[in-house]
Amino acid sequence: MSDEEEINHEDEKGIINAEINDEMKKAYLDYAMSVIVSRAIPAVEDGMKPVQRRILYSMSLLGLKPNTQTKKSARIVGDVIGKFHPHGDASVYDALVRLAQDFSLRYPLVFGQGNFGSLDGDPPAAYRYTEAKMENIAMELLEDLEKDTVEMVPNFDNSVKEPVLLPGKLPALLLNGATGIAVGMATNIPPHNLTEVADAIIENIKNPSINNDQLCEIIKGPDFPTGGVVSGDMKDLYKTGRGKLIVRGKVKTESVKGKEIVVITEIPYMVNKSTLVTQIAEMVGNKKIKDVSDLRDESSKKGIRVVLELKKDANSKFVINSLFKYTRLQDSFNVNFLALVNGQPRVLDLKSVVDAYVDYRKKIIIKRTEYDLRKAKERMEIVEGLLIALKNIDDIITLIKKSKSAVEAAEGLMSKYKLSERQAKAVLETKLQQLTSLEVEKLKAEHLELTKQIAELEKILGDIKEVLKIIVREVSELKKNYGDERRTQVMGNFKEIKEKDLIQKKEVVVTITDKGYIKRLDIESYREQKRGGRGVIGSGLTDEDFVKQLLTCSTHDYLMFFTSRGRVLWLKAYDVPAAEKLSKGRAIVNILNLRDENITNVISVKNFDDYLFMATKNGIVKKISLSYFSKPRASGVRAINLPADNSDFLIGVDVVKKGQEVLLATKKGQAIKFAESEVRDMGRASYGVTGIKLDKGDAVVGLEILDTDAIMTITSNGYGKRTSIGDYRKTGRAGKGVINLKVSDKTGEVVKTVSVNDNDNLIITTAKGIVIRTSLHDIRVMGRAAQGVRIVKLGSDDHVADMARFFEDKEIEKVIEGQ
């Protein structure tokens, strides 16, 4: 006995000795194929899964045609389970419900009476409450079923027969798509427009050599029942049978009572509307979607309408981009054109799917024609026999009267008039009323019609081109009867939504206080003050706090935060909390990852192509490439290696380009100008080199990268002046410098310097939180040794804390003109 025989040998007790690995493998493969073929994957021929096919066939047997009354879904489910589909009633009812949902199927096959679910994910009513019947379009799938066009096989208990496939005049696989998860594979076919599919089938028949690219010119892309906009590489998708589509809902803007609103009118396919609205609300709540004041769902039977009311002056474009970025208003649809071809799972391209439909319809039409020809010939035989009998009616009546039995009469007819057995039987069954001349003429007319019909049917069977003509005619009828406009708009590839697409680009003011509070305000929040004005309250600060740094930047800029310990952290300008003028803002420690350190400097950066130039209180300078900081990290990185005893700290950081000059200014009124090339490039771990030699008690208060006409200097007591850049002679670094401003008790020590041009504006902040915006028109240019003029009228116990350049902008010019 061989090893194989030994393994499969059955002993006397009926126990089979088998290798468990082989048995497990075989059992699993059998199970997998059962799920693939009998449950999850549709057939390419009729586009149906077994449960869908059985539901429609069972409804046909129940007589639930479009022109009849509906019947309880429980009756349908019971018939399907009892006769064809021995599985759970829930699975059958779920499949029936989906066939009736106009938001699930592009062309619903079942008409549902009652609650069949909704776009909000509401479940359908129990099957004892709902009723159903077939839609007109479903009859196209079943047409010619009675003409032996498909194979009929016994059901699970061999009591009745069911079709292996439906005749499938309707190309259902492409029209309604399919979704199913089997074992080791899955299918996800999107729905399509009937008009486009019909045109593609017709063109494919006319030009069999047509390729996928040409078919794509006809079938533009999927057409979802919920509409929306779809994007993707359609040619690659239809060529390979696989691909990823991006589906968006449709959004429009309206104006209601002077306020702009964003209205969602269509949502992506298979997206739950209620869940989408909840997701939008969450995104609005956590500030991912900004500038939304109210959200409500006004959807009705007329259609979807989800309304987002916007805040004053909000830009709807950025709100819409945020909806696409952060919610399922933009969703993906992963296509996998997997279907059963002759019972075997295959991934198909568009050409293969269309070819499979045409090939299957050819077989159906040929079988239908053969059936019709057979029936026509059978009827022709009877008609010819009756015509012979009517021609010899008197003799035949005499023959029948003399016959002792029907058998003898039939034999006599067959013998004397050469009739077949069927003809003889038909003659004997003829009623007396058929002997009238009118009936004779009807038989003659029928004979003529049958002759023509048989000739036409034989012509069809004798030429495949005739079969193809029939397919074209039937598909054209489908297009005429059920074709409609495309619902889903096909677009080119959507560009990736980046941060700049989510936030409106505008100039803002960012303030940082000594106590570590930060906030962002629009430029319009400040009004320009003439020289010597009192200003407006810019911060709702406590007496102990004051504005330490103020800068203007774009909402798209990066803010780089330099700490007292020499680290740098990043933040997008639009991520700085927006606040009103009287708000103190939000604590920086709650926004950034700080470690027992303070923010000493903040700069705004648009890109990371140039260099950073740093200066410390003790006159140390450092130049480092911005590329070291191009990859923001949540924990921050070290920018300069400062002394561990905190004896020195950063006073200024700015972006510098090759060839530019640098100016350092001290609180005692000294300044030094040198080329940036005097300082070599350094790494992040270095400390730097000497920029200016300081006298005892002096400290650096200003770092300027010179790209303007003059330097604006302001003192603690509100005195300031403009000095031409040309007045500062260029020296090497590490010198003592020259006089910048003559410091006295009246002026107070120098607080800040800023590079300015003639048409620039300044924002000056005091320790009490007073913010003054002023123009340089009334501040004349003075020499280096001058004390300057009063710029700000200060209250008691107040002093200037900071000054920043206000960059030229068209909006600012309008504000200035309106003052």
Side-chain angles (χ1 to χ4, degrees):
M1 186 179 291
S2 66
D3 292 341
E4 185 176 350
E5 290 172 333
E6 178 65 29
I7 289 173
N8 295 295
H9 175 65
E10 183 175 348
D11 63 18
E12 296 176 355
K13 296 180 180 180
I15 299 173
I16 298 175
N17 295 316
E19 177 62 43
I20 190 169
N21 288 339
D22 295 337
E23 287 297 315
M24 290 289 288
K25 186 182 296 184
K26 181 179 181 300
Y28 188 78
L29 286 173
D30 289 345
Y31 164 71
M33 284 306 297
S34 174
V35 173
I36 292 167
V37 175
S38 303
R39 289 198 218 173
I41 309 299
V44 72
E45 291 87 355
D46 64 359
M48 297 281 103
K49 295 181 184 180
V51 66
Q52 297 170 330
R53 188 179 300 118
R54 287 164 173 168
I55 288 171
L56 293 179
Y57 182 59
S58 184
M59 292 178 78
S60 175
L61 294 180
L62 286 170
L64 295 177
K65 294 180 171 57
N67 58 351
T68 63
Q69 286 188 333
T70 57
K71 284 189 179 179
K72 287 289 185 183
S73 299
R75 172 74 182 278
I76 301 167
V77 172
D79 263 38
V80 173
I81 293 173
K83 291 181 179 178
F84 309 115
H85 201 71
H87 298 282
D89 58 345
S91 63
V92 175
Y93 186 50
D94 287 347
L96 174 65
V97 166
R98 192 171 190 277
L99 290 174
Q101 291 176 334
D102 59 3
F103 53 85
S104 293
L105 266 63
R106 181 64 176 83
Y107 301 93
L109 302 175
V110 171
F111 171 79
Q113 182 75 37
N115 175 17
F116 274 75
S118 73
L119 259 176
D120 287 323
D122 300 319
Y127 53 48
R128 62 182 177 274
Y129 299 118
T130 61
E131 298 180 356
K133 64 179 180 179
M134 286 189 288
E135 292 275 14
N136 283 312
I137 197 167
M139 299 302 296
E140 307 292 350
L141 283 166
L142 296 160
E143 188 176 297
D144 301 325
L145 187 61
E146 73 284 354
K147 293 186 177 182
D148 299 337
T149 51
V150 296
E151 182 184 0
M152 303 292 287
V153 296
N155 69 337
F156 62 90
D157 63 359
N158 207 24
S159 60
V160 293
K161 287 190 174 183
E162 62 174 315
V164 175
L165 295 167
L166 298 180
K169 179 178 171 183
L170 189 76
L173 185 67
L174 279 172
L175 297 186
N176 283 327
T179 300
I181 300 174
V183 178
M185 61 183 66
T187 185
N188 204 26
I189 303 172
H192 293 80
N193 182 267
L194 191 150
T195 301
E196 293 179 358
V197 171
D199 289 341
I201 292 169
I202 293 170
E203 191 62 34
N204 186 76
I205 292 172
K206 292 180 179 178
N207 178 19
S209 62
I210 192 171
N211 57 36
N212 283 298
D213 289 344
Q214 292 169 311
L215 285 173
C216 283
E217 298 297 321
I218 304 171
I219 298 180
K220 307 296 184 183
D223 189 22
F224 298 107
T226 53
V229 183
V230 66
S231 168
D233 189 342
M234 300 303 170
K235 288 189 176 181
D236 184 67
L237 168 70
Y238 289 126
K239 189 178 294 183
T240 63
R242 288 193 174 97
K244 182 178 181 180
L245 299 175
I246 302 299
V247 188
R248 285 181 174 178
K250 282 190 178 177
V251 183
K252 64 179 181 178
T253 59
E254 297 177 1
S255 181
V256 178
K257 295 181 180 179
K259 292 180 66 177
E260 190 174 29
I261 63 173
V262 172
V263 182
I264 300 170
T265 58
E266 295 175 7
I267 63 175
Y269 183 52
M270 301 302 288
V271 169
N272 183 307
K273 177 170 65 68
S274 179
T275 302
L276 175 64
V277 173
T278 301
Q279 187 182 31
I280 293 173
E282 290 175 352
M283 292 297 105
V284 171
N286 61 27
K287 305 299 183 184
K288 284 286 187 181
I289 300 176
K290 307 178 191 303
D291 297 329
V292 175
S293 61
D294 190 25
L295 169 67
R296 57 183 180 273
D297 187 357
E298 298 179 354
S299 303
S300 64
K301 290 183 179 180
K302 295 181 180 178
I304 295 172
R305 183 177 171 85
V306 178
V307 177
L308 291 85
E309 283 192 8
L310 305 187
K311 295 178 181 177
K312 185 179 179 182
D313 299 326
N315 190 317
S316 59
K317 180 181 78 171
F318 300 103
V319 174
I320 293 170
N321 284 340
S322 296
L323 288 170
F324 291 143
K325 177 77 171 178
Y326 297 120
T327 75
R328 289 191 68 191
L329 192 61
Q330 175 173 307
D331 204 18
S332 61
F333 189 97
N334 293 303
V335 177
N336 191 25
F337 259 94
L338 180 74
L340 297 177
V341 181
N342 297 322
Q344 298 296 318
R346 275 181 52 197
V347 176
L348 303 167
D349 58 21
L350 181 58
K351 170 72 171 169
S352 298
V353 176
V354 175
D355 282 343
Y357 169 81
V358 174
D359 291 342
Y360 183 61
R361 286 303 295 167
K362 281 194 282 190
K363 294 176 184 177
I364 296 297
I365 290 171
I366 289 171
K367 288 182 179 180
R368 180 184 73 190
T369 305
E370 289 173 345
Y371 177 88
D372 289 340
L373 180 61
R374 185 170 67 252
K375 291 296 182 183
K377 286 183 175 180
E378 288 175 357
R379 179 59 184 168
M380 175 67 88
E381 183 183 358
I382 300 299
V383 170
E384 287 177 343
L386 290 175
L387 287 173
I388 292 170
L390 289 172
K391 187 177 181 181
N392 303 280
I393 187 64
D394 294 333
D395 292 340
I396 287 176
I397 291 174
T398 301
L399 187 151
I400 293 172
K401 287 170 66 177
K402 291 180 179 180
S403 299
K404 296 179 180 179
S405 65
V407 174
E408 184 179 333
E411 289 175 351
L413 291 172
M414 292 166 62
S415 173
K416 186 174 182 178
Y417 298 103
K418 306 302 181 184
L419 300 180
S420 67
E421 185 177 346
R422 293 180 69 251
Q423 287 174 324
K425 184 179 179 183
V427 170
L428 292 173
E429 292 176 349
T430 301
K431 296 179 181 180
L432 289 175
Q433 70 180 27
Q434 291 181 275
L435 300 179
T436 64
S437 59
L438 182 61
E439 291 297 325
V440 172
E441 291 303 319
K442 282 185 179 180
L443 283 173
K444 288 181 179 179
E446 185 180 0
H447 184 272
L448 182 62
E449 184 64 31
L450 286 170
T451 302
K452 292 179 181 178
Q453 183 182 354
I454 290 170
E456 289 177 1
L457 294 173
E458 287 177 339
K459 181 182 178 182
I460 292 170
L461 293 175
D463 188 354
I464 193 65
K465 291 181 180 178
E466 295 297 321
V467 176
L468 294 174
K469 286 180 182 177
I470 293 172
I471 298 175
V472 170
R473 185 181 72 245
E474 291 182 345
V475 170
S476 298
E477 289 173 356
L478 288 174
K479 176 183 173 181
K480 179 182 177 182
N481 295 333
Y482 307 107
D484 57 3
E485 294 294 324
R486 164 175 280 280
R487 296 182 189 176
T488 302
Q489 182 182 356
V490 179
M491 294 184 64
N493 290 333
F494 295 133
K495 69 173 186 177
E496 182 184 354
I497 297 177
K498 299 180 180 179
E499 289 177 317
K500 67 179 182 179
D501 301 315
L502 305 176
I503 302 297
Q504 184 176 0
K505 187 175 183 179
K506 56 184 177 181
E507 293 297 309
V508 294
V509 174
V510 176
T511 62
I512 302 161
T513 75
D514 186 57
K515 296 293 184 182
Y517 287 90
I518 186 171
K519 70 175 180 178
R520 167 172 58 87
L521 297 97
D522 292 349
I523 289 296
E524 290 80 3
S525 296
Y526 296 106
R527 65 182 178 87
E528 183 178 7
Q529 298 293 298
K530 297 295 183 181
R531 181 169 65 87
R534 296 288 300 184
V536 296
I537 299 295
S539 303
L541 304 176
T542 62
D543 291 340
E544 295 81 17
D545 199 7
F546 62 92
V547 175
K548 184 176 183 180
Q549 188 169 359
L550 182 148
L551 67 155
T552 58
C553 63
S554 163
T555 47
H556 287 188
D557 291 352
Y558 266 107
L559 297 183
M560 297 179 67
F561 292 77
F562 294 85
T563 74
S564 56
R565 297 177 63 179
R567 287 197 311 136
V568 61
L569 300 103
W570 295 261
L571 196 66
K572 275 289 190 180
Y574 60 74
D575 285 328
V576 175
E580 299 297 329
K581 284 187 290 186
L582 296 179
S583 168
K584 67 180 180 180
R586 187 176 174 191
I588 295 177
V589 294
N590 294 332
I591 302 174
L592 299 176
N593 183 20
L594 298 177
R595 308 170 184 168
D596 299 324
E597 53 195 331
N598 299 318
I599 297 296
T600 59
N601 293 91
V602 182
I603 66 167
S604 61
V605 179
K606 295 185 185 297
N607 53 61
F608 296 87
D609 296 335
D610 298 311
Y611 293 88
L612 275 181
F613 201 94
M614 293 178 257
T616 73
K617 178 197 73 168
N618 294 340
I620 301 298
V621 293
K622 174 180 177 178
K623 186 173 73 173
I624 182 172
S625 173
L626 265 172
S627 60
Y628 282 106
F629 309 101
S630 61
K631 296 180 179 179
R633 301 180 195 171
S635 59
V637 298
R638 181 169 295 281
I640 185 172
N641 195 10
L642 295 172
D645 60 2
N646 294 327
S647 59
D648 198 7
F649 57 83
L650 286 172
I651 61 90
V653 182
D654 208 344
V655 177
V656 67
K657 298 179 179 179
K658 287 188 176 181
Q660 288 189 309
E661 295 178 336
V662 177
L663 184 139
L664 300 178
T666 74
K667 67 179 182 180
K668 297 296 185 183
Q670 291 295 111
I672 187 171
K673 182 174 78 170
F674 56 88
E676 57 81 25
S677 57
E678 293 278 329
V679 183
R680 61 179 176 82
D681 301 350
M682 304 176 198
R684 289 194 292 107
S686 64
Y687 178 33
V689 295
T690 301
I692 186 172
K693 291 182 179 178
L694 301 173
D695 291 333
K696 186 176 180 180
D698 203 359
V700 176
V701 294
L703 164 66
E704 302 303 324
I705 306 300
L706 302 178
D707 58 355
T708 57
D709 300 327
I711 294 293
M712 178 69 192
T713 305
I714 194 158
T715 67
S716 60
N717 291 342
Y719 284 81
K721 66 166 185 171
R722 274 196 293 164
T723 303
S724 174
I725 293 293
D727 284 357
Y728 300 92
R729 72 174 186 273
K730 184 177 177 181
T731 65
R733 67 169 179 85
K736 284 237 176 213
V738 297
I739 293 176
N740 175 39
L741 183 143
K742 188 175 182 181
V743 172
S744 66
D745 292 339
K746 181 179 77 170
T747 63
E749 295 180 335
V750 174
V751 173
K752 190 72 179 286
T753 58
V754 175
S755 298
V756 293
N757 290 312
D758 289 343
N759 295 323
D760 283 344
N761 297 278
L762 297 174
I763 293 180
I764 300 166
T765 310
T766 76
K768 292 280 185 154
I770 304 297
V771 177
I772 299 164
R773 181 173 144 201
T774 187
S775 171
L776 290 177
H777 288 302
D778 299 331
I779 304 174
R780 63 186 178 86
V781 178
M782 306 178 191
R784 289 189 294 106
Q787 289 185 338
V789 295
R790 182 177 292 277
I791 304 297
V792 182
K793 290 181 180 179
L794 297 170
S796 60
D797 300 325
D798 199 5
H799 62 270
V800 173
D802 203 352
M803 175 176 64
R805 178 184 172 192
F806 189 72
F807 293 96
E808 193 171 339
D809 187 272
K810 289 184 179 180
E811 291 183 22
I812 298 171
E813 291 174 0
K814 290 179 181 178
V815 173
I816 293 172
E817 290 170 2
Q819 290 295 323

